[in-house]
């Protein structure tokens, strides 16, 4: 069995926030991590560009761990005030971006008989946050995508799981309207927002051999907000 120290990882959205925290945590265990982001990462790239991701997969060689952290919030607005263009943009990044990276990197994992995919969704994808309909719908799609892929790959040695955080102190949430942020923070029984390093611990677990009988599963990290 390959030790985690000899493994490689790709972390999308790795320039900041949860992606950067996950990359740092994996590196602390000796994983060779490549971060991908629009700027400020090891590799500049857009997860909506499937052709670029295919080329990157060929250039990087074997990737054992894929962490899909790239994402955008989209409009802070009631559903009836959103536009088709806003829907397309958020779904392209949050959903198709995850699909694109999995299509590029999971085949190699399956061929080698070992892999870990950790997708990021959100509590919004389970509960639906008011005035964040586009984001909520996109994260619900990532949850369903993870469940489907986990079942498809269940006997391959590749495990696919998804993390659903509540509010975490990241730059992405800095763009959320204060009233919306106050509302969703108020739903957390612990009465505080989470820290990126707390989420990174869960990523490290799901990227390791320590998880072996869980795939297509949803892992909440919500300070008690999750009710199902």
């Amino acid at each position: 069995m390959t030790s985690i120290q000899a493994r490689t990882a790709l972390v999308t959205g790795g320039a900041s926030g949860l992606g950067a925290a996950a990359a740092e945590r994996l590196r602390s265990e000796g994983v060779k991590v490549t971060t991908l982001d629009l700027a400020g990462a090891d590799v500049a790239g857009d997860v909506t560009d499937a052709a670029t991701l295919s080329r990157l997969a060929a250039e990087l060689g074997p990737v054992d761990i894929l962490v899909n952290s790239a994402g955008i919030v989209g409009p802070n607005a009631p559903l009836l005030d959103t536009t088709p263009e806003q829907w397309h943009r958020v779904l392209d990044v949050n959903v198709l971006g995850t699909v694109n990276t999995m299509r590029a990197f999971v085949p190699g994992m399956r061929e080698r008989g070992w892999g870990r995919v950790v997708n990021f969704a959100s509590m919004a994808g389970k509960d639906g946050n008011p005035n964040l309909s586009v984001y909520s719908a996109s994260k619900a799609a990532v949850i369903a995508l993870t469940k489907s892929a986990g079942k498809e790959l269940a006997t391959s040695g590749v495990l696919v799981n998804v993390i659903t955080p509540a509010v975490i102190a990241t730059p992405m949430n800095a763009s959320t309207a204060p009233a919306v942020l106050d509302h969703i923070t108020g739903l957390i029984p612990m009465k505080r927002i989470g820290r990126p390093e707390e989420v990174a611990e869960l990523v490290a677990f799901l990227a390791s051999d320590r998880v072996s009988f869980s795939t297509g599963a949803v892992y909440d990290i919500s300070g008690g907000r999750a009710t199902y």
Side-chain angles (χ1 to χ4, degrees):
M1 183 179 295
T2 306
S3 70
I4 193 167
Q5 287 81 6
R7 289 185 175 137
T8 58
L10 177 71
V11 179
T12 73
S16 64
L18 297 181
E24 180 180 2
R25 181 66 182 82
L26 290 173
R27 284 173 175 147
S28 76
E29 295 202 16
V31 179
K32 181 183 178 183
V33 178
T34 299
T35 57
L36 180 144
D37 214 317
L38 295 175
D42 298 321
V43 176
D46 188 335
V47 293
T48 67
D49 186 346
T52 295
L53 291 172
S54 294
R55 289 195 297 272
L56 180 61
E59 293 169 4
L60 287 180
V63 169
D64 305 306
I65 299 162
L66 172 63
V67 180
N68 280 308
S69 182
I72 58 176
V73 175
N76 292 277
L79 167 65
L80 300 183
D81 294 337
T82 61
T83 66
E85 293 76 19
Q86 289 171 328
W87 278 88
H88 282 295
R89 176 57 181 158
V90 175
L91 293 174
D92 279 349
V93 175
N94 293 359
V95 183
L96 292 177
T98 301
V99 171
N100 290 339
T101 59
M102 290 178 66
R103 284 173 51 83
F105 293 97
V106 169
M109 298 179 189
R110 183 173 57 185
E111 289 171 9
R112 294 186 298 275
W114 195 96
R116 298 290 185 269
V117 179
V118 183
N119 293 328
F120 272 103
S122 168
M123 286 303 301
K126 299 177 74 173
D127 289 359
N129 287 337
N131 298 317
L132 286 175
S133 59
V134 188
Y135 180 74
S136 299
S138 74
K139 292 305 187 177
V142 173
I143 291 170
L145 165 66
T146 301
K147 291 180 177 182
S148 294
K151 291 178 172 66
E152 291 173 7
L153 296 164
T155 60
S156 70
V158 182
L159 305 184
V160 187
N161 293 294
V162 60
I163 296 175
T164 52
V167 184
I168 308 295
T170 66
M172 188 170 75
N173 279 319
S175 64
T176 304
V180 174
L181 197 60
D182 288 345
H183 169 73
I184 55 182
T185 302
L187 298 173
I188 299 174
M190 281 183 144
K191 300 302 180 187
R192 69 170 176 88
I193 62 177
R195 300 187 301 273
E197 61 269 24
E198 293 175 310
V199 181
E201 286 295 331
L202 183 53
V203 173
F205 167 68
L206 293 175
S208 73
D209 280 314
R210 301 192 298 275
V211 57
S212 58
F213 192 56
S214 182
T215 195
V218 183
Y219 286 81
D220 299 320
I221 183 162
S222 69
R225 173 179 167 181
T227 57
Y228 73 97

